[in-house]
Amino acid sequence: MTVQVPVRLTEEDLDALDAAVAAGHFESRSAALRAGLAYVLHEERERAIEEAYRRGYGEHPQEEWIGKAGLAALIAFDRAEGGDPL
């Protein structure tokens, strides 16, 4: 199900939107606006995930040895794969 949502745009924004559609970047104004909304919602989800990590590490900081062990494992893996020294 879809719901129609009225949106007010400036003339400049509408001209830019129409230019993007005319250039073939989007099938229609609606498609362009849906793409923009999808981008905004994706960014909001990413921001929420980052905030959850920040809170988690703030409440339970990583111990120094864990970071050192992870780096040592990464270096060993890189060497085993024949990569250049890190």
Side-chain angles (χ1 to χ4, degrees):
M1 177 177 103
T2 62
V3 176
Q4 187 173 8
V5 178
V7 177
R8 290 186 176 274
L9 301 173
T10 64
E11 288 292 328
E12 293 82 15
D13 287 344
L14 187 59
D15 290 343
L17 181 62
D18 287 340
V21 172
H25 299 295
F26 300 98
E27 178 180 308
S28 64
R29 287 175 172 175
S30 292
L33 293 173
R34 282 192 299 271
L37 177 60
Y39 176 79
V40 167
L41 296 177
H42 172 78
E43 290 297 308
E44 286 301 310
R45 284 190 298 272
E46 290 294 316
R47 194 178 345 268
I49 290 168
E50 288 174 12
E51 180 56 31
Y53 272 106
R54 258 193 298 286
R55 276 194 319 273
Y57 278 107
E59 293 169 10
H60 307 284
Q62 177 174 298
E63 295 180 29
E64 187 176 341
W65 71 268
I66 294 173
K68 288 180 179 180
L71 183 57
L74 178 61
I75 291 169
F77 177 77
D78 186 62
R79 287 186 181 145
E81 292 294 311
D84 294 328
L86 296 176

